[in-house]
Amino acid sequence: MALFNKQNKEALTNPLNLDHPILVQVLGICSALAVTSQLKPAIVMGLAVTVITAFSNVIISILRNTIPNRIRIVVQLVVVAALVTIVSQVLKAYVYDVSVQLSVYVGLIITNCILMGRLEAFAMQNKPWPSFLDGIGNGLGYAMILVIVGAVREFFGRGTLLGFQIIPDACYDWGYINNGMMTMPAMALILVGIVIWIHRAYFYKEK
């Protein structure tokens, strides 16, 4: 079987558009709203979910024929919890400031419905390589929305991106004021709704 045959390509690319976890399936909304007040934590959270989704898919796919059906959810939670713990410790070691910003939301990846959904719907029925691609695709699809919303909120709410000032001081001297509403959780919900509307209007057709 080719590494990137049609089926494997669809496993990787469909979650980026036609089967997007947030825009189409409307999953993982809570964390998408919670960590997007700034771009940096949004990027880190997106990467963390991508790594955890990909490798938990692989592990469950490898074990799928040995897991008793009655305890499969428990096994999936244990695998995800172990990976989340590893990622959390790595974040604390190398990007401590971001790990503080993300706070409990890294731990809550364990209950992320995108993760559990892919394990149950895909990894339990497919081989490790397609499962890995599915995890990467869904993780990147999720991360894409976090990055878009985080960038818009930080730019208009703080005048910065990744902590660097983008809007020049001259604009503030002329009377420009940062939009304080962009830093509020409600704006994250509104922005996600706008992105979903644009996506469905131009790219997604109901079957």
Side-chain angles (χ1 to χ4, degrees):
M1 180 182 294
L3 290 179
F4 289 100
N5 58 22
K6 182 180 179 181
Q7 182 181 359
N8 289 345
K9 286 180 180 178
E10 289 179 351
L12 178 63
T13 59
N14 279 359
L16 299 176
N17 188 9
L18 298 177
D19 199 24
H20 195 283
I22 293 180
L23 302 183
V24 178
Q25 301 178 53
V26 197
L27 300 175
I29 292 292
C30 296
S31 56
L33 304 182
V35 301
T36 54
S37 61
Q38 296 182 58
L39 181 56
K40 189 174 181 179
I43 292 173
V44 172
M45 184 68 167
L47 291 176
V49 170
T50 301
V51 170
I52 292 169
T53 305
F55 285 99
S56 61
N57 265 15
V58 170
I59 294 171
I60 293 300
S61 177
I62 292 173
L63 300 176
R64 71 187 189 282
N65 293 325
T66 63
I67 301 174
N69 189 57
R70 64 183 180 277
I71 63 166
R72 70 186 190 283
I73 301 298
V74 176
V75 174
Q76 292 170 11
L77 285 172
V78 170
V79 169
V80 174
L83 291 172
V84 168
T85 301
I86 294 171
V87 168
S88 178
Q89 294 304 310
V90 170
L91 292 180
K92 288 179 180 178
Y94 294 100
V95 281
Y96 181 75
D97 58 327
V98 177
S99 71
V100 171
Q101 286 180 282
L102 292 175
S103 184
V104 299
Y105 298 109
V106 174
L108 289 176
I109 293 175
I110 296 171
T111 58
N112 191 307
C113 44
I114 296 174
L115 254 162
M116 300 307 298
R118 298 326 297 167
L119 293 177
E120 185 70 10
F122 198 92
M124 288 294 291
Q125 282 82 40
N126 292 274
K127 294 181 178 179
W129 177 244
S131 297
F132 177 77
L133 295 177
D134 178 79
I136 291 290
N138 279 276
L140 290 179
Y142 170 85
M144 178 177 67
I145 301 303
L146 264 63
V147 168
I148 292 172
V149 175
V152 171
R153 291 182 69 190
E154 183 177 354
F155 179 77
F156 289 104
R158 303 171 188 269
T160 62
L161 284 177
L162 295 175
F164 297 100
Q165 184 171 339
I166 301 299
I167 298 177
D169 291 329
C171 291
Y172 296 103
D173 294 337
W174 294 336
Y176 177 81
I177 300 175
N178 291 330
N179 188 341
M181 288 188 63
M182 283 291 178
T183 62
M184 300 174 64
M187 282 308 301
L189 180 61
I190 292 172
L191 289 172
V192 170
I194 291 172
V195 175
I196 291 175
W197 169 63
I198 293 172
H199 180 267
R200 294 198 177 193
Y202 290 97
F203 301 107
Y204 181 72
K205 295 182 180 179
E206 294 286 352
K207 293 184 180 179

